Amino acid sequence: MKLLIMGPPGVGKGTQAKKIIEYFNIVHISTGSLLRDEIRKNSNIGVVASSFIDKGRLVPDKTLLSMVKKRLSETDCDNGYILDGFPRTIDQASGLEKILEKMGHNLDFAISLYAEKDELVSRLIKRGNDSGRSDDNIKIIIERQKIYWEQTAPILDFYKKKNILNNINGLGKINIVTKRILKVVEKNA
Ligand code: ADP
């Protein structure tokens, strides 16, 4: 089972990805978490990444593609994975295609979670109170939403054309949203 989960910041990608990996016993690859690990380690990638993340901007495609390529080649990915927060640009999506092709992997599903902007912003403000994340403050939250619509939403069409896109309502209780996702995935599996 190889899937990706997309959607604007705050829609619950990470929360749902955690439920899905438990259900299918697959690996969770969150590029946001991988980047935050690099920042914690103060690595070269981390230093570059924090300058973008703190402004609510996207980290350069080249960095993301090499990071994801490396992660996907680890043996724990053999059984399947869910990509969370990647790809986020057209160039990342086409770069990912090439990586997967070389590895002989095929994506089974692209899940796109959606919710209204006001709900997303209020969820992120709440999360910011506990997460301590440098990018969970109102100014940056609004910037991240804007960037999602400008740079990431266009790739929905990319997956639609490949016939693997499923739009799922991200509003409601966590386990209800999980059920919606599993229903779609199991129906098409
Ligand atoms: P959210 O979806 O709530 O914005 P993430 O943890 O997925 O949170 O990402 C946090 C930040 O990390 C993004 O705003 C961006 O700066 C950076 N980032 C994560 N994934 C990518 C990616 N695929 N391409 C570029 N930047 C990324």
Side-chain angles (χ1 to χ4, degrees):
M1 178 65 67
K2 299 181 184 72
L3 34 126
L4 55 88
I5 189 159
M6 306 176 45
V11 80
K13 297 181 295 282
T15 306
Q16 294 303 327
K18 284 192 192 94
K19 301 272 181 186
I20 295 167
I21 58 159
E22 266 173 36
Y23 190 85
F24 290 110
N25 193 23
I26 55 177
V27 177
H28 183 189
I29 303 177
S30 155
T31 48
S33 307
L34 290 175
L35 291 168
R36 285 187 289 276
D37 287 346
E38 296 294 334
I39 293 172
R40 248 174 259 125
K41 286 189 280 184
N42 208 18
S43 68
N44 290 340
I45 292 183
V47 172
V48 174
S50 66
S51 67
F52 291 92
I53 292 178
D54 291 352
K55 295 194 193 82
R57 305 268 166 81
L58 295 181
V59 176
D61 293 336
K62 236 178 92 185
T63 309
L64 267 294
L65 283 163
S66 68
M67 201 174 75
V68 169
K69 188 175 173 191
K70 185 164 161 251
R71 182 65 188 88
L72 287 177
S73 67
E74 287 168 27
T75 49
D76 61 345
C77 292
D78 292 350
N79 197 32
Y81 44 81
I82 182 161
L83 289 166
D84 161 12
F86 180 90
R88 260 173 154 102
T89 64
I90 295 280
D91 284 347
Q92 288 181 16
S94 50
L96 175 65
E97 284 293 295
K98 290 197 191 103
I99 294 171
L100 294 177
E101 212 174 288
K102 273 204 194 118
M103 299 181 86
H105 290 186
N106 241 328
L107 279 182
D108 299 294
F109 298 100
I111 306 289
S112 165
L113 286 180
Y114 61 86
E116 285 114 49
K117 190 172 161 217
D118 289 352
E119 167 74 15
L120 298 171
V121 172
S122 84
R123 284 186 190 179
L124 288 169
I125 291 172
K126 263 190 224 134
R127 181 173 82 183
N129 295 334
D130 333 296
S131 73
R133 268 176 55 168
S134 58
D135 56 351
D136 278 346
N137 68 70
I138 186 72
K139 187 168 155 254
I140 304 300
I141 287 170
I142 289 171
E143 178 67 14
R144 281 156 58 208
Q145 297 288 329
K146 187 171 145 252
I147 289 197
Y148 174 80
W149 292 107
E150 287 171 2
Q151 303 196 39
T152 307
I155 69 176
L156 293 177
D157 217 41
F158 182 95
Y159 291 107
K160 193 171 169 206
K161 287 194 181 118
K162 293 175 98 41
N163 271 324
I164 58 168
L165 182 70
N166 295 276
N167 292 300
I168 292 174
N169 183 357
L171 274 187
K173 290 214 173 85
I174 291 173
N175 57 348
I176 303 282
V177 178
T178 309
K179 277 192 189 137
R180 287 184 197 133
I181 297 175
L182 292 177
K183 199 170 154 196
V184 165
V185 171
E186 292 196 313
K187 194 174 86 191
N188 297 296

